[in-house]
mmCIF file of all heavy atoms in Angstrom:
data_model
loop_
_atom_site.group_PDB
_atom_site.id
_atom_site.type_symbol
_atom_site.label_atom_id
_atom_site.label_comp_id
_atom_site.label_asym_id
_atom_site.label_seq_id
_atom_site.Cartn_x
_atom_site.Cartn_y
_atom_site.Cartn_z
ATOM 1 N N MET A 22 13.107 -10.189 0.736
ATOM 2 C CA MET A 22 14.456 -10.777 0.879
ATOM 3 C C MET A 22 14.326 -12.257 1.221
ATOM 4 O O MET A 22 13.526 -12.628 2.064
ATOM 5 C CB MET A 22 15.219 -10.038 1.975
ATOM 6 C CG MET A 22 16.706 -10.373 1.989
ATOM 7 S SD MET A 22 17.534 -9.587 3.384
ATOM 8 C CE MET A 22 17.623 -7.890 2.810
ATOM 9 N N LEU A 23 15.116 -13.072 0.575
ATOM 10 C CA LEU A 23 15.020 -14.510 0.809
ATOM 11 C C LEU A 23 15.571 -14.880 2.187
ATOM 12 O O LEU A 23 16.544 -14.309 2.651
ATOM 13 C CB LEU A 23 15.811 -15.268 -0.258
ATOM 14 C CG LEU A 23 15.133 -15.387 -1.628
ATOM 15 C CD1 LEU A 23 16.076 -16.034 -2.617
ATOM 16 C CD2 LEU A 23 13.858 -16.208 -1.518
ATOM 17 N N GLY A 24 14.943 -15.845 2.799
ATOM 18 C CA GLY A 24 15.443 -16.349 4.067
ATOM 19 C C GLY A 24 15.025 -15.537 5.276
ATOM 20 O O GLY A 24 15.340 -15.911 6.394
ATOM 21 N N GLN A 25 14.309 -14.474 5.028
ATOM 22 C CA GLN A 25 13.876 -13.674 6.167
ATOM 23 C C GLN A 25 12.635 -14.304 6.806
ATOM 24 O O GLN A 25 11.659 -14.568 6.111
ATOM 25 C CB GLN A 25 13.548 -12.260 5.691
ATOM 26 C CG GLN A 25 13.490 -11.270 6.836
ATOM 27 C CD GLN A 25 13.481 -9.821 6.338
ATOM 28 O OE1 GLN A 25 13.245 -9.586 5.162
ATOM 29 N NE2 GLN A 25 13.731 -8.890 7.220
ATOM 30 N N PRO A 26 12.677 -14.567 8.087
ATOM 31 C CA PRO A 26 11.522 -15.190 8.733
ATOM 32 C C PRO A 26 10.331 -14.244 8.772
ATOM 33 O O PRO A 26 10.424 -13.148 9.296
ATOM 34 C CB PRO A 26 12.013 -15.510 10.148
ATOM 35 C CG PRO A 26 13.175 -14.605 10.372
ATOM 36 C CD PRO A 26 13.769 -14.311 9.027
ATOM 37 N N ALA A 27 9.232 -14.706 8.182
ATOM 38 C CA ALA A 27 8.050 -13.857 8.105
ATOM 39 C C ALA A 27 7.208 -13.963 9.371
ATOM 40 O O ALA A 27 6.273 -13.212 9.563
ATOM 41 C CB ALA A 27 7.211 -14.252 6.893
ATOM 42 N N LYS A 28 7.568 -14.930 10.214
ATOM 43 C CA LYS A 28 6.719 -15.184 11.382
ATOM 44 C C LYS A 28 7.357 -14.717 12.687
ATOM 45 O O LYS A 28 6.959 -15.130 13.742
ATOM 46 C CB LYS A 28 6.442 -16.686 11.492
ATOM 47 C CG LYS A 28 5.660 -17.226 10.322
ATOM 48 C CD LYS A 28 5.484 -18.708 10.494
ATOM 49 C CE LYS A 28 4.561 -19.263 9.422
ATOM 50 N NZ LYS A 28 4.388 -20.701 9.585
ATOM 51 N N SER A 29 8.362 -13.876 12.556
ATOM 52 C CA SER A 29 9.085 -13.497 13.763
ATOM 53 C C SER A 29 8.358 -12.410 14.543
ATOM 54 O O SER A 29 8.702 -12.132 15.670
ATOM 55 C CB SER A 29 10.488 -13.023 13.395
ATOM 56 O OG SER A 29 10.407 -11.989 12.439
ATOM 57 N N HIS A 30 7.361 -11.814 13.940
ATOM 58 C CA HIS A 30 6.650 -10.764 14.652
ATOM 59 C C HIS A 30 5.188 -11.154 14.853
ATOM 60 O O HIS A 30 4.648 -11.996 14.140
ATOM 61 C CB HIS A 30 6.744 -9.454 13.877
ATOM 62 C CG HIS A 30 6.121 -9.512 12.527
ATOM 63 N ND1 HIS A 30 6.733 -10.118 11.451
ATOM 64 C CD2 HIS A 30 4.934 -9.089 12.069
ATOM 65 C CE1 HIS A 30 5.934 -10.024 10.411
ATOM 66 N NE2 HIS A 30 4.840 -9.411 10.756
ATOM 67 N N THR A 31 4.587 -10.510 15.818
ATOM 68 C CA THR A 31 3.191 -10.812 16.111
ATOM 69 C C THR A 31 2.280 -10.123 15.108
ATOM 70 O O THR A 31 2.523 -9.000 14.700
ATOM 71 C CB THR A 31 2.836 -10.338 17.525
ATOM 72 O OG1 THR A 31 3.789 -10.869 18.431
ATOM 73 C CG2 THR A 31 1.456 -10.819 17.928
ATOM 74 N N VAL A 32 1.238 -10.825 14.709
ATOM 75 C CA VAL A 32 0.280 -10.282 13.761
ATOM 76 C C VAL A 32 -1.003 -9.930 14.496
ATOM 77 O O VAL A 32 -1.424 -10.650 15.395
ATOM 78 C CB VAL A 32 -0.003 -11.314 12.650
ATOM 79 C CG1 VAL A 32 -1.173 -10.875 11.785
ATOM 80 C CG2 VAL A 32 1.240 -11.518 11.794
ATOM 81 N N THR A 33 -1.585 -8.815 14.131
ATOM 82 C CA THR A 33 -2.850 -8.422 14.729
ATOM 83 C C THR A 33 -3.985 -8.697 13.746
ATOM 84 O O THR A 33 -3.920 -8.297 12.596
ATOM 85 C CB THR A 33 -2.833 -6.919 15.080
ATOM 86 O OG1 THR A 33 -1.715 -6.666 15.921
ATOM 87 C CG2 THR A 33 -4.100 -6.525 15.803
ATOM 88 N N CYS A 34 -4.988 -9.408 14.218
ATOM 89 C CA CYS A 34 -6.132 -9.743 13.376
ATOM 90 C C CYS A 34 -6.847 -8.476 12.939
ATOM 91 O O CYS A 34 -7.274 -7.691 13.778
ATOM 92 C CB CYS A 34 -7.086 -10.651 14.156
ATOM 93 S SG CYS A 34 -8.619 -10.995 13.300
ATOM 94 N N PRO A 35 -6.974 -8.238 11.615
ATOM 95 C CA PRO A 35 -7.652 -7.040 11.137
ATOM 96 C C PRO A 35 -9.156 -7.083 11.380
ATOM 97 O O PRO A 35 -9.834 -6.068 11.255
ATOM 98 C CB PRO A 35 -7.333 -6.993 9.646
ATOM 99 C CG PRO A 35 -6.816 -8.335 9.297
ATOM 100 C CD PRO A 35 -6.470 -9.071 10.540
ATOM 101 N N HIS A 36 -9.658 -8.247 11.712
ATOM 102 C CA HIS A 36 -11.094 -8.404 11.913
ATOM 103 C C HIS A 36 -11.501 -7.945 13.303
ATOM 104 O O HIS A 36 -12.472 -7.216 13.466
ATOM 105 C CB HIS A 36 -11.480 -9.868 11.695
ATOM 106 C CG HIS A 36 -12.953 -10.119 11.843
ATOM 107 N ND1 HIS A 36 -13.877 -9.613 10.967
ATOM 108 C CD2 HIS A 36 -13.646 -10.814 12.768
ATOM 109 C CE1 HIS A 36 -15.084 -10.000 11.350
ATOM 110 N NE2 HIS A 36 -14.968 -10.720 12.447
ATOM 111 N N CYS A 37 -10.764 -8.401 14.332
ATOM 112 C CA CYS A 37 -11.169 -8.075 15.696
ATOM 113 C C CYS A 37 -10.078 -7.371 16.488
ATOM 114 O O CYS A 37 -10.313 -6.944 17.609
ATOM 115 C CB CYS A 37 -11.612 -9.354 16.413
ATOM 116 S SG CYS A 37 -10.279 -10.525 16.641
ATOM 117 N N GLY A 38 -8.863 -7.244 15.914
ATOM 118 C CA GLY A 38 -7.809 -6.507 16.579
ATOM 119 C C GLY A 38 -7.034 -7.310 17.606
ATOM 120 O O GLY A 38 -6.205 -6.750 18.312
ATOM 121 N N GLU A 39 -7.295 -8.593 17.698
ATOM 122 C CA GLU A 39 -6.571 -9.426 18.654
ATOM 123 C C GLU A 39 -5.247 -9.899 18.074
ATOM 124 O O GLU A 39 -5.095 -10.007 16.867
ATOM 125 C CB GLU A 39 -7.415 -10.665 19.006
ATOM 126 C CG GLU A 39 -8.456 -10.389 20.056
ATOM 127 C CD GLU A 39 -9.227 -11.654 20.401
ATOM 128 O OE1 GLU A 39 -8.639 -12.748 20.346
ATOM 129 O OE2 GLU A 39 -10.419 -11.534 20.701
ATOM 130 N N ASP A 40 -4.306 -10.187 18.982
ATOM 131 C CA ASP A 40 -3.037 -10.746 18.534
ATOM 132 C C ASP A 40 -3.248 -12.169 18.042
ATOM 133 O O ASP A 40 -3.978 -12.942 18.647
ATOM 134 C CB ASP A 40 -2.031 -10.759 19.684
ATOM 135 C CG ASP A 40 -1.506 -9.357 19.979
ATOM 136 O OD1 ASP A 40 -1.749 -8.468 19.151
ATOM 137 O OD2 ASP A 40 -0.877 -9.194 21.027
ATOM 138 N N VAL A 41 -2.600 -12.490 16.919
ATOM 139 C CA VAL A 41 -2.715 -13.823 16.349
ATOM 140 C C VAL A 41 -1.414 -14.579 16.582
ATOM 141 O O VAL A 41 -0.348 -14.131 16.158
ATOM 142 C CB VAL A 41 -3.013 -13.753 14.837
ATOM 143 C CG1 VAL A 41 -3.196 -15.157 14.259
ATOM 144 C CG2 VAL A 41 -4.261 -12.924 14.592
ATOM 145 N N GLU A 42 -1.517 -15.688 17.274
ATOM 146 C CA GLU A 42 -0.342 -16.509 17.536
ATOM 147 C C GLU A 42 0.146 -17.167 16.256
ATOM 148 O O GLU A 42 -0.647 -17.708 15.494
ATOM 149 C CB GLU A 42 -0.711 -17.600 18.539
ATOM 150 C CG GLU A 42 0.192 -17.624 19.760
ATOM 151 C CD GLU A 42 -0.263 -18.676 20.746
ATOM 152 O OE1 GLU A 42 0.178 -19.826 20.578
ATOM 153 O OE2 GLU A 42 -1.065 -18.352 21.631
ATOM 154 N N GLN A 43 1.468 -17.119 16.046
ATOM 155 C CA GLN A 43 2.036 -17.731 14.849
ATOM 156 C C GLN A 43 2.653 -19.072 15.205
ATOM 157 O O GLN A 43 3.380 -19.183 16.178
ATOM 158 C CB GLN A 43 3.107 -16.816 14.254
ATOM 159 C CG GLN A 43 2.573 -15.454 13.852
ATOM 160 C CD GLN A 43 1.507 -15.538 12.790
ATOM 161 O OE1 GLN A 43 1.657 -16.277 11.825
ATOM 162 N NE2 GLN A 43 0.431 -14.794 12.945
ATOM 163 N N LYS A 44 2.337 -20.068 14.414
ATOM 164 C CA LYS A 44 2.947 -21.371 14.623
ATOM 165 C C LYS A 44 4.315 -21.394 13.956
ATOM 166 O O LYS A 44 4.432 -21.036 12.781
ATOM 167 C CB LYS A 44 2.075 -22.472 14.010
ATOM 168 C CG LYS A 44 0.831 -22.756 14.803
ATOM 169 C CD LYS A 44 -0.006 -23.818 14.118
ATOM 170 C CE LYS A 44 -1.335 -23.995 14.849
ATOM 171 N NZ LYS A 44 -2.269 -24.825 14.069
ATOM 172 N N PRO A 45 5.352 -21.794 14.696
ATOM 173 C CA PRO A 45 6.693 -21.856 14.100
ATOM 174 C C PRO A 45 6.778 -22.932 13.030
ATOM 175 O O PRO A 45 6.023 -23.906 13.055
ATOM 176 C CB PRO A 45 7.605 -22.174 15.286
ATOM 177 C CG PRO A 45 6.722 -22.808 16.307
ATOM 178 C CD PRO A 45 5.346 -22.248 16.084
ATOM 179 N N GLY A 46 7.720 -22.752 12.091
ATOM 180 C CA GLY A 46 7.902 -23.740 11.036
ATOM 181 C C GLY A 46 7.262 -23.303 9.741
ATOM 182 O O GLY A 46 6.842 -22.163 9.588
ATOM 183 N N ALA A 47 7.195 -24.234 8.802
ATOM 184 C CA ALA A 47 6.666 -23.918 7.491
ATOM 185 C C ALA A 47 5.162 -23.716 7.550
ATOM 186 O O ALA A 47 4.493 -24.169 8.466
ATOM 187 C CB ALA A 47 7.002 -25.031 6.511
ATOM 188 N N GLY A 48 4.666 -23.043 6.531
ATOM 189 C CA GLY A 48 3.230 -22.812 6.470
ATOM 190 C C GLY A 48 2.933 -21.351 6.232
ATOM 191 O O GLY A 48 3.824 -20.506 6.216
ATOM 192 N N ARG A 49 1.672 -21.068 6.036
ATOM 193 C CA ARG A 49 1.274 -19.700 5.746
ATOM 194 C C ARG A 49 1.269 -18.857 7.010
ATOM 195 O O ARG A 49 0.995 -19.353 8.100
ATOM 196 C CB ARG A 49 -0.130 -19.698 5.129
ATOM 197 C CG ARG A 49 -0.138 -20.182 3.702
ATOM 198 C CD ARG A 49 -1.555 -20.209 3.181
ATOM 199 N NE ARG A 49 -2.186 -18.879 3.263
ATOM 200 C CZ ARG A 49 -3.454 -18.660 2.964
ATOM 201 N NH1 ARG A 49 -4.220 -19.642 2.603
ATOM 202 N NH2 ARG A 49 -3.958 -17.447 3.054
ATOM 203 N N LEU A 50 1.545 -17.583 6.811
ATOM 204 C CA LEU A 50 1.451 -16.636 7.905
ATOM 205 C C LEU A 50 -0.023 -16.455 8.273
ATOM 206 O O LEU A 50 -0.860 -16.235 7.407
ATOM 207 C CB LEU A 50 2.052 -15.305 7.453
ATOM 208 C CG LEU A 50 2.074 -14.154 8.455
ATOM 209 C CD1 LEU A 50 3.120 -14.420 9.528
ATOM 210 C CD2 LEU A 50 2.373 -12.857 7.744
ATOM 211 N N ARG A 51 -0.304 -16.595 9.540
ATOM 212 C CA ARG A 51 -1.695 -16.420 9.967
ATOM 213 C C ARG A 51 -1.986 -14.942 10.159
ATOM 214 O O ARG A 51 -1.296 -14.258 10.890
ATOM 215 C CB ARG A 51 -1.939 -17.189 11.265
ATOM 216 C CG ARG A 51 -1.994 -18.686 11.058
ATOM 217 C CD ARG A 51 -2.471 -19.364 12.325
ATOM 218 N NE ARG A 51 -3.859 -19.014 12.610
ATOM 219 C CZ ARG A 51 -4.448 -19.181 13.792
ATOM 220 N NH1 ARG A 51 -3.776 -19.660 14.795
ATOM 221 N NH2 ARG A 51 -5.714 -18.863 13.974
ATOM 222 N N LEU A 52 -3.025 -14.468 9.503
ATOM 223 C CA LEU A 52 -3.373 -13.056 9.608
ATOM 224 C C LEU A 52 -4.575 -12.848 10.504
ATOM 225 O O LEU A 52 -4.771 -11.776 11.060
ATOM 226 C CB LEU A 52 -3.682 -12.491 8.218
ATOM 227 C CG LEU A 52 -2.501 -12.422 7.242
ATOM 228 C CD1 LEU A 52 -2.980 -11.934 5.893
ATOM 229 C CD2 LEU A 52 -1.425 -11.500 7.775
ATOM 230 N N TYR A 53 -5.388 -13.876 10.663
ATOM 231 C CA TYR A 53 -6.630 -13.736 11.411
ATOM 232 C C TYR A 53 -6.672 -14.717 12.577
ATOM 233 O O TYR A 53 -6.023 -15.758 12.544
ATOM 234 C CB TYR A 53 -7.831 -13.983 10.498
ATOM 235 C CG TYR A 53 -7.783 -13.137 9.263
ATOM 236 C CD1 TYR A 53 -7.277 -13.641 8.079
ATOM 237 C CD2 TYR A 53 -8.214 -11.818 9.299
ATOM 238 C CE1 TYR A 53 -7.214 -12.856 6.949
ATOM 239 C CE2 TYR A 53 -8.161 -11.032 8.180
ATOM 240 C CZ TYR A 53 -7.664 -11.552 6.993
ATOM 241 O OH TYR A 53 -7.591 -10.774 5.890
ATOM 242 N N CYS A 54 -7.485 -14.385 13.585
ATOM 243 C CA CYS A 54 -7.582 -15.240 14.753
ATOM 244 C C CYS A 54 -8.194 -16.581 14.364
ATOM 245 O O CYS A 54 -7.895 -17.605 14.952
ATOM 246 C CB CYS A 54 -8.410 -14.551 15.838
ATOM 247 S SG CYS A 54 -10.054 -14.047 15.300
ATOM 248 N N ASP A 55 -9.046 -16.594 13.362
ATOM 249 C CA ASP A 55 -9.577 -17.848 12.840
ATOM 250 C C ASP A 55 -10.007 -17.651 11.396
ATOM 251 O O ASP A 55 -10.216 -16.519 10.957
ATOM 252 C CB ASP A 55 -10.730 -18.385 13.705
ATOM 253 C CG ASP A 55 -11.986 -17.552 13.558
ATOM 254 O OD1 ASP A 55 -12.676 -17.697 12.533
ATOM 255 O OD2 ASP A 55 -12.276 -16.747 14.454
ATOM 256 N N PRO A 56 -10.082 -18.733 10.608
ATOM 257 C CA PRO A 56 -10.362 -18.608 9.167
ATOM 258 C C PRO A 56 -11.683 -17.899 8.885
ATOM 259 O O PRO A 56 -11.822 -17.199 7.882
ATOM 260 C CB PRO A 56 -10.428 -20.063 8.679
ATOM 261 C CG PRO A 56 -9.655 -20.844 9.699
ATOM 262 C CD PRO A 56 -9.864 -20.126 11.003
ATOM 263 N N GLU A 57 -12.641 -18.058 9.764
ATOM 264 C CA GLU A 57 -13.934 -17.422 9.558
ATOM 265 C C GLU A 57 -13.814 -15.899 9.628
ATOM 266 O O GLU A 57 -14.429 -15.177 8.855
ATOM 267 C CB GLU A 57 -14.923 -17.929 10.622
ATOM 268 C CG GLU A 57 -16.329 -17.439 10.404
ATOM 269 C CD GLU A 57 -16.921 -17.961 9.101
ATOM 270 O OE1 GLU A 57 -16.473 -19.014 8.612
ATOM 271 O OE2 GLU A 57 -17.830 -17.314 8.571
ATOM 272 N N ALA A 58 -12.986 -15.410 10.523
ATOM 273 C CA ALA A 58 -12.759 -13.967 10.641
ATOM 274 C C ALA A 58 -12.150 -13.436 9.361
ATOM 275 O O ALA A 58 -12.510 -12.366 8.891
ATOM 276 C CB ALA A 58 -11.854 -13.673 11.836
ATOM 277 N N GLY A 59 -11.219 -14.195 8.779
ATOM 278 C CA GLY A 59 -10.600 -13.780 7.539
ATOM 279 C C GLY A 59 -11.603 -13.721 6.403
ATOM 280 O O GLY A 59 -11.583 -12.816 5.581
ATOM 281 N N ARG A 60 -12.493 -14.689 6.388
ATOM 282 C CA ARG A 60 -13.506 -14.718 5.327
ATOM 283 C C ARG A 60 -14.451 -13.533 5.449
ATOM 284 O O ARG A 60 -14.805 -12.891 4.463
ATOM 285 C CB ARG A 60 -14.290 -16.033 5.399
ATOM 286 C CG ARG A 60 -14.250 -16.792 4.097
ATOM 287 C CD ARG A 60 -15.016 -18.089 4.204
ATOM 288 N NE ARG A 60 -16.384 -17.875 4.652
ATOM 289 C CZ ARG A 60 -17.169 -18.832 5.134
ATOM 290 N NH1 ARG A 60 -16.725 -20.057 5.218
ATOM 291 N NH2 ARG A 60 -18.389 -18.577 5.508
ATOM 292 N N GLN A 61 -14.867 -13.246 6.671
ATOM 293 C CA GLN A 61 -15.787 -12.127 6.884
ATOM 294 C C GLN A 61 -15.120 -10.805 6.514
ATOM 295 O O GLN A 61 -15.735 -9.943 5.894
ATOM 296 C CB GLN A 61 -16.222 -12.096 8.351
ATOM 297 C CG GLN A 61 -17.218 -13.193 8.684
ATOM 298 C CD GLN A 61 -17.546 -13.203 10.173
ATOM 299 O OE1 GLN A 61 -17.230 -12.276 10.893
ATOM 300 N NE2 GLN A 61 -18.173 -14.280 10.623
ATOM 301 N N TRP A 62 -13.839 -10.677 6.898
ATOM 302 C CA TRP A 62 -13.136 -9.440 6.598
ATOM 303 C C TRP A 62 -13.025 -9.262 5.091
ATOM 304 O O TRP A 62 -13.246 -8.185 4.544
ATOM 305 C CB TRP A 62 -11.744 -9.487 7.243
ATOM 306 C CG TRP A 62 -10.910 -8.295 6.932
ATOM 307 C CD1 TRP A 62 -10.936 -7.096 7.579
ATOM 308 C CD2 TRP A 62 -9.937 -8.178 5.891
ATOM 309 N NE1 TRP A 62 -10.023 -6.249 7.007
ATOM 310 C CE2 TRP A 62 -9.396 -6.885 5.966
ATOM 311 C CE3 TRP A 62 -9.471 -9.042 4.915
ATOM 312 C CZ2 TRP A 62 -8.408 -6.443 5.093
ATOM 313 C CZ3 TRP A 62 -8.491 -8.599 4.048
ATOM 314 C CH2 TRP A 62 -7.974 -7.317 4.137
ATOM 315 N N ARG A 63 -12.710 -10.356 4.365
ATOM 316 C CA ARG A 63 -12.556 -10.286 2.914
ATOM 317 C C ARG A 63 -13.882 -9.931 2.258
ATOM 318 O O ARG A 63 -13.939 -9.158 1.311
ATOM 319 C CB ARG A 63 -12.050 -11.637 2.395
ATOM 320 C CG ARG A 63 -11.227 -11.492 1.132
ATOM 321 C CD ARG A 63 -10.507 -12.795 0.806
ATOM 322 N NE ARG A 63 -9.433 -13.081 1.734
ATOM 323 C CZ ARG A 63 -9.348 -14.200 2.459
ATOM 324 N NH1 ARG A 63 -10.259 -15.122 2.367
ATOM 325 N NH2 ARG A 63 -8.335 -14.372 3.265
ATOM 326 N N GLN A 64 -14.967 -10.508 2.766
ATOM 327 C CA GLN A 64 -16.285 -10.191 2.219
ATOM 328 C C GLN A 64 -16.600 -8.715 2.391
ATOM 329 O O GLN A 64 -17.116 -8.060 1.488
ATOM 330 C CB GLN A 64 -17.347 -11.021 2.951
ATOM 331 C CG GLN A 64 -17.646 -12.332 2.241
ATOM 332 C CD GLN A 64 -18.631 -13.178 3.033
ATOM 333 O OE1 GLN A 64 -19.185 -12.712 4.027
ATOM 334 N NE2 GLN A 64 -18.836 -14.408 2.614
ATOM 335 N N ARG A 65 -16.264 -8.180 3.557
ATOM 336 C CA ARG A 65 -16.549 -6.781 3.826
ATOM 337 C C ARG A 65 -15.728 -5.886 2.900
ATOM 338 O O ARG A 65 -16.236 -4.894 2.370
ATOM 339 C CB ARG A 65 -16.229 -6.469 5.294
ATOM 340 C CG ARG A 65 -17.026 -5.302 5.838
ATOM 341 C CD ARG A 65 -16.782 -5.132 7.325
ATOM 342 N NE ARG A 65 -15.373 -4.921 7.624
ATOM 343 C CZ ARG A 65 -14.827 -5.113 8.818
ATOM 344 N NH1 ARG A 65 -15.566 -5.562 9.793
ATOM 345 N NH2 ARG A 65 -13.552 -4.879 9.018
ATOM 346 N N MET A 66 -14.428 -6.252 2.696
ATOM 347 C CA MET A 66 -13.581 -5.456 1.825
ATOM 348 C C MET A 66 -14.095 -5.502 0.386
ATOM 349 O O MET A 66 -14.092 -4.499 -0.329
ATOM 350 C CB MET A 66 -12.138 -5.972 1.875
ATOM 351 C CG MET A 66 -11.463 -5.737 3.217
ATOM 352 S SD MET A 66 -11.360 -3.990 3.676
ATOM 353 C CE MET A 66 -9.820 -3.556 2.847
ATOM 354 N N ARG A 67 -14.566 -6.692 -0.038
ATOM 355 C CA ARG A 67 -15.103 -6.813 -1.397
ATOM 356 C C ARG A 67 -16.340 -5.939 -1.559
ATOM 357 O O ARG A 67 -16.545 -5.308 -2.596
ATOM 358 C CB ARG A 67 -15.466 -8.271 -1.676
ATOM 359 C CG ARG A 67 -14.224 -9.121 -1.974
ATOM 360 C CD ARG A 67 -14.541 -10.245 -2.930
ATOM 361 N NE ARG A 67 -13.381 -11.163 -3.048
ATOM 362 C CZ ARG A 67 -13.326 -12.313 -2.418
ATOM 363 N NH1 ARG A 67 -14.315 -12.725 -1.666
ATOM 364 N NH2 ARG A 67 -12.278 -13.089 -2.542
ATOM 365 N N ALA A 68 -17.154 -5.910 -0.514
ATOM 366 C CA ALA A 68 -18.367 -5.096 -0.558
ATOM 367 C C ALA A 68 -18.024 -3.625 -0.686
ATOM 368 O O ALA A 68 -18.779 -2.836 -1.257
ATOM 369 C CB ALA A 68 -19.205 -5.334 0.694
ATOM 370 N N LEU A 69 -16.850 -3.239 -0.166
ATOM 371 C CA LEU A 69 -16.408 -1.855 -0.244
ATOM 372 C C LEU A 69 -15.676 -1.569 -1.551
ATOM 373 O O LEU A 69 -15.265 -0.455 -1.812
ATOM 374 C CB LEU A 69 -15.484 -1.529 0.938
ATOM 375 C CG LEU A 69 -16.169 -1.510 2.313
ATOM 376 C CD1 LEU A 69 -15.132 -1.407 3.414
ATOM 377 C CD2 LEU A 69 -17.143 -0.352 2.417
ATOM 378 N N GLY A 70 -15.450 -2.615 -2.358
ATOM 379 C CA GLY A 70 -14.841 -2.416 -3.668
ATOM 380 C C GLY A 70 -13.355 -2.715 -3.730
ATOM 381 O O GLY A 70 -12.709 -2.390 -4.722
ATOM 382 N N PHE A 71 -12.795 -3.306 -2.656
ATOM 383 C CA PHE A 71 -11.365 -3.638 -2.684
ATOM 384 C C PHE A 71 -11.157 -5.007 -3.315
ATOM 385 O O PHE A 71 -11.904 -5.942 -3.033
ATOM 386 C CB PHE A 71 -10.794 -3.635 -1.266
ATOM 387 C CG PHE A 71 -10.698 -2.266 -0.663
ATOM 388 C CD1 PHE A 71 -11.710 -1.791 0.157
ATOM 389 C CD2 PHE A 71 -9.611 -1.452 -0.926
ATOM 390 C CE1 PHE A 71 -11.638 -0.512 0.726
ATOM 391 C CE2 PHE A 71 -9.517 -0.195 -0.373
ATOM 392 C CZ PHE A 71 -10.532 0.285 0.448
ATOM 393 N N PRO A 72 -10.154 -5.135 -4.183
ATOM 394 C CA PRO A 72 -9.885 -6.426 -4.841
ATOM 395 C C PRO A 72 -9.102 -7.381 -3.936
ATOM 396 O O PRO A 72 -7.960 -7.693 -4.187
ATOM 397 C CB PRO A 72 -9.061 -6.036 -6.069
ATOM 398 C CG PRO A 72 -8.332 -4.799 -5.642
ATOM 399 C CD PRO A 72 -9.207 -4.110 -4.626
ATOM 400 N N VAL A 73 -9.724 -7.875 -2.897
ATOM 401 C CA VAL A 73 -9.055 -8.816 -2.005
ATOM 402 C C VAL A 73 -9.610 -10.216 -2.195
ATOM 403 O O VAL A 73 -10.715 -10.385 -2.702
ATOM 404 C CB VAL A 73 -9.195 -8.407 -0.531
ATOM 405 C CG1 VAL A 73 -8.382 -7.161 -0.259
ATOM 406 C CG2 VAL A 73 -10.644 -8.191 -0.146
HETATM 407 ZN ZN1 ZN B 120 -10.012 -11.874 14.790
#
């Protein structure tokens, strides 16, 4: 739905399970506690055969 704030809820890092703080305003939704965690998680998923 257009106009719905995607950052209104807390995101949990799939890499380590910690809460990820969201910066208000424009920009991408942060999914990981840091970019390196996201990269490692994606590598692991690729190794398991997921198209991420
Ligand atoms: Zn993390």
Side-chain angles (χ1 to χ4, degrees):
M22 192 185 285
L23 283 174
Q25 197 167 15
K28 296 178 173 180
S29 55
H30 62 283
T31 308
V32 170
T33 304
C34 174
H36 182 67
C37 65
E39 278 182 32
D40 286 348
V41 183
E42 235 177 87
Q43 300 299 316
K44 286 178 186 169
R49 286 178 58 185
L50 181 72
R51 287 190 67 197
L52 293 176
Y53 307 96
C54 56
D55 71 77
E57 186 64 24
R60 236 179 55 197
Q61 286 176 13
W62 177 84
R63 209 168 289 123
Q64 267 176 8
R65 206 174 58 200
M66 292 300 274
R67 283 211 188 101
L69 292 171
F71 290 95
V73 290

